[in-house]
Amino acid sequence: MKKTILLLSVLLIAFSLIATDRDPMALSNYGPSLAYFWAAPNQYGDVEQGVQYTAPADCTLSSWELYLYSIVGTPPSIVVHVYDDNAGEPGTELGSVTVPTANLVTYTTGWSTIDLTSLNLAFTAGDVFYITYTVTLGSYGIAEVQWLSDDGTYAATSTTFQGNGTSWLSMGAGWGTNYEMYATANVETSGVVGPILSLNYDSYNFGQTAIGGYKYDTVTITNAGGGSLVVQDVALTGNADFSVYDPNADSYPLTLGSSENTLFYIEYTPSATGAVTGNIAITINDREVHNIPLSGEGYIHNSWADAGAIYAQSPAGNQGDNPWSMSTSDLAPGYLHAESFEGLTANIASMDFWGINWYHDGSGWVPVDTEDPMTFEIKFYDFDDATGRPGTVIETHTPTITRETVADSLFSNGPVYKYHFELPAELAMTDGWVSIEGTSVGTPDDAWFMWSTSPIGDGFNANWDDTNTEWDWDDNDLAFALYPSTAIDPPQNVSLVMNGIYPEIFWTDVPGLVQNIYRAEELGARYTVVGTVSDGAGSFLDTSATARNYFYFVTNNTALTRRQQMSIDAKFRRLDIRPMSKDAKISK
């Protein structure tokens, strides 16, 4: 079954789970965001695919809902099959329904609902059954019905199956991951179901995460049954790089009725290389504890920006578990993305950004070689203080840029490009937003610029399309670098030591320049000047330091040093320095 990567927005799924006498219940297991589409039939000989379900109570089957990507060609219909269980895979067929493809819709319209009441199928609590579909007169590449799945990070409590007509294979066994299809079986219960704890994750691995970046996700606690589910506490233990934000922390114990849920957020911000673990313990009904193990691994992200950048978020470049990914920002489809920057200590004179130029030929995405040089519209904005989004446009540029190939490792070996833009005059901004949109109309006309993402930054970019009335959010960062007008090497060999109870910063001086010392209390927070020293000083004692953790950098007014993180404790004088990406951490 061919796995195809989608460039789609996040889709949040909510479904009703009401479980009292003779009430409907929706059975599904897909995650919160779309990731792939799957063709049936496909080039591997798979002609049938479906999902395994377990009856939560005595019930009758009423319908099946499918979330489809597209219908290729003109297959006349699909046949929906229901099977019982045979040792963990579909067994005897219990019935089938033929559905004309004219009655199906794709994701741009909504869900396709197939009525199964005519089969008169009843199940006992705990029964395992399967619902699948085949394509009438289906042929790979000519007559297909393609449906959607999540990315495999969602907890797998049911199994998605694929079949070639003679044998079955689960997605986990076939593809080595727990992809779950967007398919919901609707049943009507014939018995009372008590409270059922449902967690959207039974464990969470943040994977390899760049130091200087972070990852986050939402954990949802749902009462998937009836009665009352009482959440007593949500507690985090383990490595300090994990954190939890729980908007309901002051409301416990919290009672959830049938289908009600509550949520909290988990975040991983690595401070050093290597694997770490943690755990979330959820206590319900005064006694039951359900654990969600956490794991992650920090790594040092290589910089693609040139030396002397005053701000840089380099591309992923297939490092860690961040393969190349792109966000479409092109005039033709009406998509626009913007990325924020802050803490600049020099005027902006030039910039680099990274991306690709591709188009869809009807069967897949392919690189474009004709739009070089390429035209862009580049805008700089101030911050909208009320929303944090892009505000007033400061200036607009429409450059034509010749690209530079920097990698051939995206998806099917398509080239990745770096674009360099010299501003006609220096731009004085300390913080704000920049948007980049491809505006070329060449051959083919539907070729789009796609802006590379970055594994470091604040975790968000702003997006706009023709349907927007204000900027919206995307949960990734975009790759770009800003440069000053003069390429002067920054102060070198920066180090931190404790001088009594205060941190002292040392560096190799840059002759003829005044140095500013900047400080922030959190990584990514706004930096402020805490000292200015004359040429030749080479050190600064921060007597205003009162907190335990600070982040510093030293500038020569044109280029930044390597940032430093410091943990301050007057009682401990032994310091351990470890290298980091753009950082060195000093702790007791």
Side-chain angles (χ1 to χ4, degrees):
M1 197 174 294
K2 185 177 181 181
K3 180 177 72 173
T4 305
I5 294 179
L6 292 174
L7 299 172
L8 294 177
S9 300
V10 171
L11 178 75
L12 297 179
I13 304 297
F15 51 88
S16 176
L17 290 173
I18 305 172
T20 55
D21 281 351
R22 305 299 301 176
D23 279 339
M25 177 177 281
L27 310 179
S28 55
N29 194 52
Y30 42 79
S33 60
L34 298 171
Y36 309 107
F37 72 83
W38 304 79
N42 60 51
Q43 69 270 44
Y44 303 110
D46 295 311
V47 297
E48 186 169 355
Q49 52 194 26
V51 175
Q52 178 195 74
Y53 300 97
T54 301
D58 296 349
C59 60
T60 57
L61 182 61
S62 56
S63 66
W64 196 40
E65 294 179 276
L66 278 175
Y67 206 52
L68 298 176
Y69 179 56
S70 68
I71 299 173
V72 177
T74 57
S77 59
I78 65 170
V79 180
V80 176
H81 311 265
V82 183
Y83 298 90
D84 68 6
D85 179 66
N86 179 23
E89 63 182 40
T92 302
E93 184 167 349
L94 304 177
S96 65
V97 171
T98 299
V99 182
T101 51
N103 294 348
L104 303 176
V105 298
T106 60
Y107 74 97
T108 56
T109 300
W111 291 73
S112 296
T113 301
I114 295 115
D115 187 351
L116 300 178
T117 55
S118 63
L119 301 180
N120 296 314
L121 294 177
F123 300 102
T124 301
D127 282 351
V128 175
F129 62 97
Y130 304 79
I131 306 180
T132 70
Y133 75 89
T134 53
V135 181
T136 308
L137 301 179
S139 177
Y140 167 64
I142 299 174
E144 298 174 354
V145 175
Q146 301 170 339
W147 70 348
L148 292 158
S149 81
D150 63 16
D151 58 5
T153 60
Y154 194 67
T157 55
S158 68
T159 306
T160 303
F161 279 84
Q162 61 188 77
N164 60 17
T166 59
S167 62
W168 292 94
L169 189 67
S170 70
M171 295 292 285
W175 291 93
T177 189
N178 296 315
Y179 299 120
E180 295 293 340
M181 297 302 181
Y182 281 80
T184 299
N186 295 302
V187 299
E188 188 174 85
T189 64
S190 53
V192 176
V193 182
I196 300 173
L197 172 70
S198 175
L199 299 172
N200 61 332
Y201 295 110
D202 54 12
S203 65
Y204 198 94
N205 182 4
F206 287 92
Q208 292 184 309
T209 305
I211 296 171
Y214 72 97
K215 295 178 183 176
Y216 77 99
D217 211 328
T218 304
V219 176
T220 303
I221 306 171
T222 303
N223 179 3
S228 296
L229 180 74
V230 180
V231 182
Q232 300 291 140
D233 185 46
V234 174
L236 171 68
T237 58
N239 192 277
D241 289 349
F242 299 110
S243 59
V244 167
Y245 168 66
D246 189 346
N248 297 304
D250 296 332
S251 302
Y252 296 130
L254 183 64
T255 300
L256 301 178
S258 177
S259 82
E260 292 183 340
N261 61 59
T262 184
L263 57 84
F264 58 89
Y265 304 92
I266 53 176
E267 183 177 305
Y268 173 49
T269 307
S271 60
T273 59
V276 293
T277 58
N279 186 74
I280 296 171
I282 302 171
T283 303
I284 64 170
N285 297 346
D286 293 322
R287 61 189 185 281
E288 297 180 41
V289 177
H290 295 260
N291 294 307
I292 303 178
L294 305 177
S295 56
E297 181 180 357
Y299 75 95
I300 298 175
H301 174 60
N302 293 335
S303 175
W304 291 51
D306 295 334
I310 52 175
Y311 193 89
Q313 293 179 181
S314 293
N318 287 332
Q319 287 184 271
D321 63 354
N322 288 277
W324 285 107
S325 63
M326 304 285 157
S327 292
T328 302
S329 193
D330 195 272
L331 181 64
Y335 297 156
L336 175 65
H337 284 267
E339 184 58 281
S340 61
F341 57 88
E342 61 183 351
L344 304 191
T345 57
N347 294 344
I348 303 169
S350 63
M351 67 181 298
D352 289 336
F353 54 95
W354 292 264
I356 61 173
N357 190 204
W358 283 29
Y359 83 107
H360 200 283
D361 65 359
S363 61
W365 290 97
V366 294
V368 172
D369 297 324
T370 55
E371 293 189 351
D372 184 32
M374 188 174 186
T375 58
F376 293 91
E377 183 174 77
I378 299 174
K379 294 181 179 181
F380 288 88
Y381 313 74
D382 66 10
F383 272 104
D384 181 336
D385 292 334
T387 66
R389 294 175 169 88
T392 302
V393 175
I394 303 300
E395 61 183 41
T396 300
H397 304 279
T398 56
T400 299
I401 304 175
T402 301
R403 64 202 184 196
E404 173 190 349
T405 300
V406 295
D408 293 302
S409 57
L410 175 62
F411 304 147
S412 56
N413 294 322
V416 178
Y417 304 114
K418 180 175 80 170
Y419 297 85
H420 181 75
F421 170 50
E422 294 279 346
L423 277 67
E426 292 184 27
L427 175 59
M429 295 183 71
T430 58
D431 51 38
W433 290 81
V434 60
S435 69
I436 301 170
E437 186 175 46
T439 58
S440 289
V441 179
T443 303
D445 291 340
D446 56 353
W448 298 349
F449 172 69
M450 300 177 186
W451 193 351
S452 174
T453 61
S454 173
I456 57 176
D458 59 8
F460 299 94
N461 74 75
N463 70 76
W464 187 284
D465 63 37
D466 292 339
T467 65
N468 281 33
T469 57
E470 65 177 14
W471 289 93
D472 203 352
W473 298 111
D474 275 355
D475 56 351
N476 55 42
D477 291 294
L478 299 173
F480 73 110
L482 304 175
Y483 300 97
S485 58
T486 306
I488 300 176
D489 288 335
Q492 302 293 318
N493 305 316
V494 178
S495 62
L496 297 170
V497 299
M498 291 300 297
N499 187 342
I501 63 172
Y502 299 114
E504 189 166 8
I505 302 95
F506 292 88
W507 61 89
T508 301
D509 195 35
V510 180
L513 294 172
V514 173
Q515 277 81 44
N516 290 329
I517 296 84
Y518 286 75
R519 185 181 75 193
E521 295 188 4
E522 295 180 0
L523 185 62
R526 191 180 298 268
Y527 285 82
T528 58
V529 176
V530 293
T532 300
V533 299
S534 60
D535 175 38
S539 67
F540 175 76
L541 182 67
D542 187 5
T543 57
S544 66
T546 58
R548 179 176 174 80
N549 293 289
Y550 283 125
F551 292 80
Y552 292 92
F553 66 75
V554 184
T555 76
N556 57 19
N557 298 325
T558 57
L560 302 188
T561 67
R562 296 168 58 86
R563 293 179 183 174
Q564 308 289 315
Q565 180 183 356
M566 184 173 192
S567 178
I568 304 170
D569 194 317
K571 298 180 181 178
F572 297 91
R573 307 298 175 84
R574 181 181 178 182
L575 305 177
D576 176 29
I577 303 178
R578 291 171 288 174
M580 298 171 62
S581 173
K582 294 186 178 179
D583 298 275
K585 182 177 182 180
I586 299 184
S587 58
K588 67 181 181 182

